[in-house]
Amino acid sequence: MKKVAFYTLGCKLNFSETSTIARSFEGEGFQRVDFSETADIYVINTCSVTENADKRFKTIVKQAQKTNAEAFVAAVGCYAQLKPEELADVEGVDLVLGATEKFKITDYLNDLTKNEIGEVHSCEIEEADFYVGSYAIGDRTRAFLKVQDGCDYKCTYCTIPLARGISRSDTLANVLKNASEIAAKGIKEIVLTGVNIGDYGKGEFGNKKHEHTFFDLVRALDRVEGVHRLRISSIEPNLLKNETIDFVANSKSFVPHFHIPLQSGSDKILKLMRRRYLTNLYVDRVARIKKAMPHACIGVDVIVGFPGETDEDFLHTYHFLNELGVSYLHVFTYSERDNTLAAEMEGIVPKHIRNKRSKMLRGLSVKKRRAFYESQLGCKRTVLFEGENKAGYIHGFTENYVKVKAPWDPGLVNTLHEVELTTIDEDGLVRFAFVEEKIMA
């Protein structure tokens, strides 16, 4: 039996698509193995969001070749769509597949003989107008369910529309079918993923007609039998409507956790980025969530060092976030991407200043998370325990995304327990006491 191994760079959406591609290999009689093991084919699902993801690709190819110099190496995904020739020129790469071809990868495999030069199959991105549904099952406790792909927004720093094409959605019926399949496997939590999931509904029938909205999706998923938890991964502030917030607050399955990209606390920079909101709308969204769910966890994406960002603009962002009732930050250091408007802008911020600003916001994130965790001590929450033994401890997450730890106990894996959060450990994770030994699910 031929063996195949996968490596995924980037977002949860990429992980869900890797899983779908892996299932297509298994359907063709391949055995899936870990990337560190000897395989006949290594498939690398690439990312184009940051410069670091670009650089890591070569390292991963070398890692595969070190394990098996004769193995066939294929590159798929966003970077493969944007720069196929560049990837094909990397020593050891045999096949490069773009946005529409990646789901048909087994069709491109003949005798698995290594190629002198990487073979490229990459469409014009305008042709990426059909939808392929997918989901990933991570550590048996959580699944990433793709509901939408592509983006019609024109943010000046972003290559995603060039890499993934127009906004399009899965049919509601297929999303519900996939959710039921996941629940039937005994998985307790589903995380909704996509490029711009708040835009769900657009392209559901191959056109721009909106029969369903994101709110329709949320309401329908809440009724799926066997799903214990549903989590919204990331949603644009202008697409997170009051009706969705209010529904989640009273939902059977949706958890009080939102991840809302901000990118900058300066309206000047938001306009340069061509974001579709200003800071006052963001403040309103956070206030609405906190009013409906005071214990909700709110995560924020923020970019530092965007062209034109002065010290004053950055400090405005820092103070804006410091005063906002959010729980943690995902900080991205701006990096120039080819074929974006931002790459041509004036006011380039030197790399060392970008790094300094990034470090300051990462420090703020640590403080924010600590303060949020402290606010939860003494509260009763439900924990879903994960499946990995990490240095003698088992970890888990509450519904509102507090990370807890306890001595390793395999009997806790993939179970839900009611606990009382008691103390914060030296590593920043939370200890707890069981409210009841009875397993809830």
Side-chain angles (χ1 to χ4, degrees):
M1 188 182 275
K2 295 281 188 189
K3 294 179 179 178
V4 60
F6 297 87
Y7 197 105
T8 306
L9 288 159
C11 61
K12 294 181 178 78
L13 179 56
N14 270 8
F15 278 92
S16 74
E17 292 183 342
T18 297
S19 281
T20 296
I21 293 166
R23 287 193 286 274
S24 74
F25 271 93
E26 288 163 0
E28 296 286 334
F30 283 83
Q31 179 190 347
R32 184 175 181 177
V33 297
D34 191 79
F35 201 82
S36 61
E37 297 176 44
T38 302
D40 300 286
I41 305 177
Y42 292 93
V43 180
I44 304 166
N45 194 354
T46 62
C47 172
S48 67
V49 170
T50 65
E51 195 175 25
N52 190 40
D54 291 0
K55 288 175 180 170
R56 282 183 63 198
F57 175 76
K58 290 180 183 176
T59 307
I60 295 156
V61 172
K62 282 180 183 170
Q63 186 183 327
Q65 287 188 297
K66 194 174 177 182
T67 309
N68 181 7
E70 299 304 312
F72 192 89
V73 177
V76 302
C78 292
Y79 192 21
Q81 175 64 36
L82 289 174
K83 303 237 177 131
E85 305 296 342
E86 195 174 293
L87 291 195
D89 285 342
V90 172
E91 188 179 340
V93 173
D94 301 292
L95 178 67
V96 179
L97 299 179
T100 63
E101 294 80 11
K102 62 190 172 189
F103 293 107
K104 302 177 285 188
I105 182 170
T106 55
D107 295 349
Y108 293 97
L109 303 174
N110 297 317
D111 58 1
L112 301 186
T113 305
K114 288 195 71 63
N115 295 321
E116 287 290 322
I117 301 168
E119 188 181 314
V120 173
H121 297 276
S122 182
C123 68
E124 293 300 317
I125 197 58
E126 290 77 19
E127 295 170 31
D129 58 358
F130 60 90
Y131 187 87
V132 177
S134 55
Y135 61 84
I137 295 162
D139 55 6
R140 295 190 300 111
T141 63
R142 183 183 297 116
F144 302 118
L145 173 58
K146 174 182 169 185
V147 300
Q148 182 273 343
D149 201 351
C151 189
D152 293 341
Y153 287 10
K154 299 289 187 285
C155 301
T156 54
Y157 53 83
C158 187
T159 58
I160 294 298
L162 300 171
R164 284 187 169 269
I166 60 171
S167 178
R168 53 209 190 274
S169 308
D170 205 347
T171 63
L172 186 59
N174 198 51
V175 172
L176 298 178
K177 179 179 81 70
N178 285 340
S180 294
E181 281 180 17
I182 291 165
K185 295 176 192 290
I187 288 156
K188 303 289 193 291
E189 180 172 309
I190 295 175
V191 183
L192 304 184
T193 68
V195 174
N196 187 0
I197 63 172
D199 206 28
Y200 176 81
K202 191 184 284 185
E204 187 182 355
F205 302 99
N207 53 34
K208 295 298 179 190
K209 182 181 160 199
H210 269 268
E211 181 159 330
H212 296 108
T213 64
F214 182 70
F215 182 52
D216 293 334
L217 175 73
V218 165
R219 284 192 303 182
L221 280 167
D222 200 50
R223 294 192 292 267
V224 175
E225 287 298 316
V227 177
H228 294 265
R229 282 186 179 180
L230 286 155
R231 200 178 293 274
I232 299 168
S233 65
S234 180
I235 185 165
E236 293 285 304
N238 52 303
L239 296 176
L240 178 57
K241 307 297 185 188
N242 288 343
E243 58 187 5
T244 302
I245 294 169
D246 294 343
F247 184 85
V248 168
N250 297 292
S251 160
K252 173 171 71 81
S253 307
F254 276 90
V255 295
H257 176 207
F258 295 86
H259 193 94
I260 314 169
L262 169 68
Q263 311 309 12
S264 177
S266 159
D267 284 342
K268 180 192 102 178
I269 299 299
L270 288 176
K271 288 173 184 174
L272 286 172
M273 290 176 166
R274 290 194 184 168
R275 300 293 286 160
R276 296 197 177 193
Y277 55 86
L278 296 174
T279 50
N280 61 345
L281 176 90
Y282 200 93
V283 170
D284 179 74
R285 297 297 78 202
V286 171
R288 182 82 184 203
I289 291 167
K290 285 295 189 180
K291 185 179 179 184
M293 294 161 275
H295 62 300
C297 178
I298 303 174
V300 184
D301 286 342
V302 59
I303 295 170
V304 296
F306 188 81
E309 184 186 66
T310 63
D311 285 344
E312 187 181 4
D313 295 324
F314 170 71
L315 287 172
H316 198 87
T317 295
Y318 186 95
H319 293 306
F320 177 80
L321 287 166
N322 190 35
E323 291 163 18
L324 205 58
V326 296
S327 316
Y328 64 90
L329 314 175
H330 281 175
V331 184
F332 298 89
T333 305
Y334 172 76
S335 58
E336 287 78 3
R337 318 308 293 146
D338 290 345
N339 301 313
T340 60
L341 286 173
E344 309 299 320
M345 286 181 179
E346 296 177 353
I348 294 169
V349 178
K351 290 270 178 79
H352 72 280
I353 293 178
R354 296 183 210 182
N355 293 337
K356 180 184 173 186
R357 291 174 183 172
S358 177
K359 192 173 180 183
M360 283 178 69
L361 281 187
R362 288 177 205 278
L364 178 61
S365 180
V366 171
K367 286 197 288 185
K368 284 279 184 187
R369 193 185 296 270
R370 176 86 187 194
F372 176 64
Y373 282 9
E374 284 176 353
S375 76
Q376 297 302 298
L377 296 181
C379 296
K380 291 183 174 68
R381 299 284 178 243
T382 304
V383 172
L384 173 60
F385 289 97
E386 301 193 328
E388 195 178 343
N389 183 340
K390 295 184 178 177
Y393 288 95
I394 189 167
H395 293 165
F397 283 94
T398 64
E399 62 271 44
N400 61 338
Y401 215 54
V402 174
K403 191 172 185 179
V404 305
K405 65 185 286 193
W408 172 253
D409 177 356
L412 291 175
V413 172
N414 199 31
T415 62
L416 288 155
H417 286 260
E418 190 179 8
V419 305
E420 183 178 332
L421 305 178
T422 54
T423 57
I424 300 176
D425 219 350
E426 293 171 359
D427 57 6
L429 304 188
V430 178
R431 297 281 196 157
F432 61 87
F434 285 105
V435 171
E436 51 166 349
E437 283 301 325
K438 179 171 170 280
I439 295 173
M440 294 175 63

Coordinates of all heavy atoms in Angstrom, one line a residue, residues 366-422:
V366 N -0.7 39.2 26.5 CA -0.5 38.3 27.7 C -1.3 38.9 28.9 O -1.9 38.2 29.7 CB 1.0 38.2 28.0 CG1 1.2 37.6 29.4 CG2 1.7 37.5 26.9
K367 N -1.2 40.2 29.1 CA -1.9 40.9 30.2 C -3.4 40.8 30.0 O -4.1 40.5 31.0 CB -1.5 42.4 30.2 CG -0.1 42.6 30.8 CD 0.1 44.1 31.2 CE 0.2 45.0 30.0 NZ 0.5 46.4 30.4
K368 N -3.9 40.9 28.8 CA -5.3 40.8 28.6 C -5.9 39.4 28.9 O -6.9 39.3 29.5 CB -5.6 41.1 27.1 CG -5.6 42.6 26.7 CD -6.9 43.3 27.1 CE -7.0 44.7 26.8 NZ -8.2 45.4 27.3
R369 N -5.1 38.4 28.4 CA -5.5 37.0 28.7 C -5.5 36.7 30.2 O -6.4 36.1 30.7 CB -4.6 36.0 27.9 CG -5.2 34.6 27.9 CD -4.2 33.7 27.2 NE -4.0 34.0 25.9 CZ -4.7 33.4 24.8 NH1 -5.7 32.7 25.1 NH2 -4.3 33.7 23.6
R370 N -4.5 37.2 30.9 CA -4.4 37.0 32.3 C -5.6 37.6 33.0 O -6.2 37.0 33.9 CB -3.1 37.6 32.8 CG -2.9 37.5 34.3 CD -2.3 36.2 34.8 NE -2.3 36.1 36.2 CZ -1.6 35.2 36.9 NH1 -0.8 34.3 36.2 NH2 -1.6 35.1 38.2
A371 N -5.9 38.9 32.7 CA -7.0 39.6 33.3 C -8.3 38.8 33.0 O -9.2 38.7 33.9 CB -7.1 41.0 32.8
F372 N -8.5 38.3 31.8 CA -9.7 37.6 31.5 C -9.8 36.3 32.3 O -10.9 36.0 32.9 CB -9.8 37.3 30.0 CG -10.9 36.4 29.6 CD1 -12.2 36.9 29.8 CD2 -10.8 35.2 29.1 CE1 -13.3 36.1 29.4 CE2 -11.9 34.4 28.7 CZ -13.1 34.9 28.9
Y373 N -8.7 35.6 32.4 CA -8.7 34.3 33.2 C -9.0 34.6 34.7 O -9.7 33.9 35.3 CB -7.3 33.6 33.1 CG -7.1 32.9 31.8 CD1 -8.0 32.9 30.7 CD2 -6.0 32.0 31.7 CE1 -7.8 32.2 29.6 CE2 -5.8 31.3 30.5 CZ -6.7 31.4 29.5 OH -6.5 30.7 28.3
E374 N -8.4 35.7 35.2 CA -8.6 36.1 36.6 C -10.1 36.4 36.8 O -10.7 36.1 37.9 CB -7.8 37.3 37.0 CG -6.3 36.9 37.2 CD -5.4 38.1 37.5 OE1 -5.9 39.3 37.4 OE2 -4.2 37.9 37.8
S375 N -10.7 37.0 35.8 CA -12.2 37.3 36.0 C -13.0 36.1 36.0 O -14.2 36.2 36.5 CB -12.6 38.2 34.8 OG -12.8 37.5 33.6
Q376 N -12.5 35.0 35.6 CA -13.3 33.7 35.5 C -13.1 32.8 36.8 O -13.8 31.8 36.9 CB -12.9 32.9 34.3 CG -13.3 33.7 33.0 CD -14.8 34.0 32.9 OE1 -15.6 33.2 32.9 NE2 -15.1 35.3 32.9
L377 N -12.1 33.2 37.6 CA -11.8 32.3 38.8 C -13.1 32.4 39.7 O -13.7 33.4 39.9 CB -10.6 32.8 39.6 CG -9.3 32.7 38.8 CD1 -8.1 33.2 39.6 CD2 -9.0 31.3 38.3
G378 N -13.4 31.2 40.3 CA -14.6 31.1 41.1 C -15.9 30.8 40.3 O -16.9 30.5 40.9
C379 N -15.8 30.8 39.0 CA -16.9 30.5 38.2 C -17.0 29.0 37.8 O -16.0 28.4 37.7 CB -16.9 31.3 36.9 SG -16.9 33.1 37.1
K380 N -18.2 28.6 37.6 CA -18.5 27.2 37.2 C -18.6 27.2 35.7 O -19.4 28.0 35.1 CB -19.7 26.6 37.8 CG -19.6 26.4 39.3 CD -20.9 25.7 39.8 CE -20.7 25.3 41.3 NZ -20.6 26.5 42.2
R381 N -17.8 26.4 35.0 CA -17.7 26.3 33.5 C -17.7 24.9 33.1 O -17.4 24.0 33.9 CB -16.5 27.0 33.0 CG -16.5 28.5 33.3 CD -17.4 29.3 32.4 NE -17.4 30.7 32.8 CZ -18.5 31.4 33.2 NH1 -19.6 30.8 33.5 NH2 -18.4 32.7 33.5
T382 N -18.0 24.6 31.8 CA -17.9 23.3 31.3 C -16.6 23.1 30.5 O -16.3 24.0 29.6 CB -19.1 23.0 30.4 OG1 -20.3 23.2 31.2 CG2 -19.1 21.5 29.9
V383 N -15.8 22.1 30.7 CA -14.5 21.9 30.0 C -14.6 20.7 29.1 O -15.2 19.6 29.5 CB -13.4 21.7 31.1 CG1 -12.1 21.2 30.3 CG2 -13.1 22.9 31.9
L384 N -14.1 20.9 27.9 CA -13.9 19.8 27.0 C -12.5 19.4 27.0 O -11.6 20.3 26.6 CB -14.4 20.1 25.5 CG -14.1 19.1 24.4 CD1 -14.8 17.8 24.7 CD2 -14.5 19.7 23.1
F385 N -12.1 18.2 27.4 CA -10.7 17.8 27.5 C -10.2 17.2 26.2 O -10.9 16.5 25.4 CB -10.6 16.7 28.6 CG -10.8 17.3 30.0 CD1 -12.0 17.2 30.6 CD2 -9.7 18.0 30.6 CE1 -12.2 17.8 31.9 CE2 -9.9 18.5 31.9 CZ -11.1 18.4 32.5
E386 N -8.9 17.6 25.9 CA -8.3 17.2 24.6 C -7.5 15.9 24.8 O -7.4 15.3 25.9 CB -7.4 18.3 24.2 CG -8.2 19.6 24.0 CD -7.5 20.7 23.2 OE1 -6.2 20.8 23.3 OE2 -8.1 21.5 22.5
G387 N -7.0 15.4 23.6 CA -6.5 14.1 23.6 C -5.0 13.9 23.7 O -4.5 12.8 23.5
E388 N -4.2 14.9 24.0 CA -2.8 14.8 24.0 C -2.2 14.9 25.4 O -2.6 15.7 26.2 CB -2.2 15.9 23.1 CG -0.7 15.7 22.8 CD -0.2 16.8 21.9 OE1 -1.0 17.6 21.3 OE2 1.0 16.9 21.8
N389 N -1.3 14.0 25.7 CA -0.5 14.0 27.0 C 0.6 15.0 26.8 O 1.6 14.7 26.1 CB 0.0 12.6 27.3 CG 0.7 12.6 28.7 OD1 1.1 13.6 29.2 ND2 0.8 11.4 29.2
K390 N 0.5 16.2 27.5 CA 1.6 17.2 27.3 C 2.4 17.3 28.6 O 1.9 17.9 29.6 CB 0.9 18.6 27.0 CG 0.3 18.5 25.6 CD -0.3 19.9 25.2 CE -0.9 19.8 23.8 NZ -1.5 21.1 23.4
A391 N 3.5 16.6 28.6 CA 4.4 16.6 29.8 C 3.7 16.2 31.1 O 3.9 16.8 32.1 CB 5.1 18.0 30.0
G392 N 2.8 15.2 31.0 CA 2.1 14.7 32.1 C 0.8 15.4 32.5 O 0.2 15.1 33.5
Y393 N 0.4 16.3 31.6 CA -0.9 17.0 31.9 C -1.9 16.9 30.7 O -1.5 16.7 29.6 CB -0.6 18.5 32.1 CG 0.1 18.8 33.4 CD1 1.5 18.9 33.5 CD2 -0.7 19.0 34.5 CE1 2.1 19.2 34.7 CE2 -0.1 19.2 35.8 CZ 1.3 19.4 35.8 OH 1.9 19.6 37.0
I394 N -3.1 16.9 31.0 CA -4.2 17.0 30.0 C -4.7 18.4 30.0 O -4.8 19.0 31.1 CB -5.3 16.0 30.3 CG1 -6.3 15.9 29.1 CG2 -6.1 16.3 31.6 CD1 -7.3 14.7 29.2
H395 N -4.9 18.9 28.8 CA -5.5 20.3 28.7 C -6.9 20.2 28.2 O -7.3 19.3 27.6 CB -4.6 21.1 27.7 CG -3.2 21.4 28.2 ND1 -2.2 21.8 27.4 CD2 -2.7 21.3 29.5 CE1 -1.1 22.0 28.1 NE2 -1.4 21.6 29.4
G396 N -7.6 21.3 28.4 CA -9.0 21.4 27.9 C -9.4 22.9 27.8 O -8.6 23.8 28.3
F397 N -10.5 23.1 27.2 CA -11.0 24.5 27.1 C -12.4 24.6 27.6 O -13.3 23.7 27.4 CB -11.0 25.0 25.6 CG -9.6 25.4 25.1 CD1 -8.9 24.4 24.5 CD2 -9.1 26.6 25.3 CE1 -7.6 24.7 24.0 CE2 -7.9 27.0 24.8 CZ -7.1 26.0 24.2
T398 N -12.7 25.7 28.4 CA -14.1 26.0 28.8 C -14.8 26.5 27.5 O -14.2 26.8 26.5 CB -14.1 27.0 29.8 OG1 -13.6 28.3 29.3 CG2 -13.3 26.6 31.1
E399 N -16.2 26.6 27.7 CA -16.9 27.1 26.6 C -16.5 28.5 26.2 O -16.5 28.9 25.0 CB -18.4 27.1 26.9 CG -18.9 27.9 28.1 CD -18.8 27.2 29.4 OE1 -17.8 26.5 29.7 OE2 -19.8 27.4 30.2
N400 N -16.0 29.3 27.1 CA -15.6 30.7 26.8 C -14.0 30.7 26.7 O -13.4 31.8 27.0 CB -16.1 31.7 27.8 CG -15.7 31.4 29.2 OD1 -15.3 30.3 29.6 ND2 -15.7 32.5 30.1
Y401 N -13.5 29.6 26.3 CA -12.1 29.6 25.8 C -11.0 29.8 26.9 O -9.9 30.3 26.6 CB -11.9 30.5 24.6 CG -10.9 30.0 23.6 CD1 -11.1 28.7 23.0 CD2 -9.8 30.7 23.2 CE1 -10.2 28.2 22.1 CE2 -8.9 30.3 22.2 CZ -9.1 29.0 21.7 OH -8.3 28.5 20.7
V402 N -11.3 29.5 28.1 CA -10.2 29.5 29.2 C -9.5 28.1 29.1 O -10.2 27.1 29.1 CB -10.9 29.7 30.6 CG1 -9.8 29.5 31.6 CG2 -11.5 31.1 30.6
K403 N -8.2 28.2 29.0 CA -7.5 26.9 28.9 C -7.1 26.4 30.2 O -6.5 27.1 31.1 CB -6.2 27.1 28.0 CG -5.5 25.8 27.6 CD -4.3 26.1 26.7 CE -3.7 24.8 26.2 NZ -2.6 25.1 25.2
V404 N -7.5 25.1 30.5 CA -7.2 24.5 31.8 C -6.3 23.4 31.7 O -6.0 22.8 30.6 CB -8.6 24.1 32.5 CG1 -9.6 25.2 32.5 CG2 -9.2 22.9 31.7
K405 N -5.8 23.0 32.9 CA -4.8 21.8 32.9 C -5.1 21.0 34.1 O -5.6 21.5 35.2 CB -3.4 22.3 32.9 CG -3.0 23.1 34.1 CD -1.6 23.6 34.0 CE -0.5 22.6 34.2 NZ 0.8 23.2 34.4
A406 N -4.8 19.7 34.0 CA -4.9 18.7 35.2 C -3.9 17.6 34.9 O -3.5 17.4 33.8 CB -6.3 18.2 35.3
P407 N -3.5 16.8 35.9 CA -2.6 15.7 35.7 C -3.3 14.8 34.7 O -4.5 14.6 34.6 CB -2.6 15.0 37.1 CG -2.8 16.2 38.0 CD -3.8 17.1 37.4
W408 N -2.4 14.2 33.8 CA -2.9 13.3 32.7 C -3.8 12.2 33.2 O -3.5 11.5 34.1 CB -1.7 12.8 31.9 CG -2.1 11.7 30.9 CD1 -2.0 10.4 31.0 CD2 -2.8 12.0 29.7 NE1 -2.5 9.8 29.9 CE2 -3.0 10.7 29.0 CE3 -3.3 13.2 29.1 CZ2 -3.7 10.6 27.8 CZ3 -3.9 13.0 27.8 CH2 -4.1 11.8 27.2
D409 N -5.0 12.1 32.5 CA -5.9 11.0 32.8 C -6.6 10.7 31.5 O -7.4 11.4 31.0 CB -7.0 11.5 33.8 CG -8.0 10.4 34.1 OD1 -8.0 9.4 33.5 OD2 -8.9 10.7 35.0
P410 N -6.2 9.6 30.9 CA -6.8 9.2 29.6 C -8.3 9.1 29.6 O -8.9 9.2 28.6 CB -6.1 7.9 29.2 CG -5.6 7.4 30.5 CD -5.3 8.6 31.4
G411 N -8.9 8.8 30.8 CA -10.3 8.7 30.9 C -11.1 10.0 30.6 O -12.3 10.0 30.4
L412 N -10.3 11.1 30.7 CA -11.0 12.4 30.5 C -11.0 12.8 29.1 O -11.8 13.7 28.7 CB -10.2 13.5 31.3 CG -10.3 13.5 32.8 CD1 -9.4 14.5 33.4 CD2 -11.7 13.7 33.3
V413 N -10.3 12.2 28.2 CA -10.2 12.6 26.8 C -11.5 12.6 26.1 O -12.3 11.7 26.2 CB -9.2 11.7 26.0 CG1 -9.3 12.0 24.5 CG2 -7.8 11.8 26.5
N414 N -11.8 13.7 25.5 CA -13.1 13.9 24.7 C -14.3 13.8 25.6 O -15.4 13.3 25.2 CB -13.2 12.9 23.5 CG -14.2 13.4 22.5 OD1 -14.4 14.6 22.3 ND2 -14.8 12.4 21.8
T415 N -14.2 14.2 26.8 CA -15.4 14.3 27.7 C -15.6 15.7 28.2 O -14.7 16.5 28.2 CB -15.2 13.4 29.0 OG1 -14.1 13.8 29.7 CG2 -15.0 11.9 28.6
L416 N -16.9 16.0 28.5 CA -17.3 17.3 29.0 C -17.6 17.2 30.5 O -18.3 16.3 31.0 CB -18.5 17.8 28.3 CG -18.4 18.2 26.8 CD1 -19.7 18.0 26.1 CD2 -17.9 19.6 26.8
H417 N -17.0 18.1 31.3 CA -17.2 18.1 32.8 C -17.5 19.5 33.3 O -16.9 20.4 32.8 CB -15.9 17.6 33.5 CG -15.7 16.1 33.4 ND1 -16.0 15.2 34.4 CD2 -15.1 15.4 32.4 CE1 -15.7 14.0 34.0 NE2 -15.1 14.1 32.8
E418 N -18.4 19.6 34.2 CA -18.6 20.8 34.9 C -17.5 21.0 36.0 O -17.3 20.1 36.8 CB -20.0 20.9 35.5 CG -20.3 22.3 36.0 CD -21.6 22.5 36.6 OE1 -22.3 21.4 36.8 OE2 -22.0 23.6 36.9
V419 N -16.8 22.2 36.0 CA -15.7 22.4 36.9 C -15.9 23.8 37.5 O -16.6 24.6 37.0 CB -14.3 22.3 36.2 CG1 -14.2 21.0 35.5 CG2 -14.1 23.5 35.2
E420 N -15.2 24.0 38.6 CA -15.0 25.4 39.1 C -13.6 25.8 39.0 O -12.7 25.1 39.4 CB -15.4 25.4 40.6 CG -15.3 26.8 41.2 CD -15.7 26.9 42.6 OE1 -16.6 26.1 43.1 OE2 -15.3 27.8 43.3
L421 N -13.4 26.9 38.3 CA -12.0 27.5 38.0 C -11.5 28.0 39.3 O -12.1 28.8 40.0 CB -12.1 28.5 36.9 CG -12.7 28.0 35.6 CD1 -12.7 29.2 34.6 CD2 -12.0 26.8 35.0
T422 N -10.3 27.6 39.7 CA -9.8 27.9 41.1 C -8.5 28.8 41.1 O -8.6 29.9 41.7 CB -9.5 26.7 41.9 OG1 -8.6 25.8 41.1 CG2 -10.7 25.9 42.2

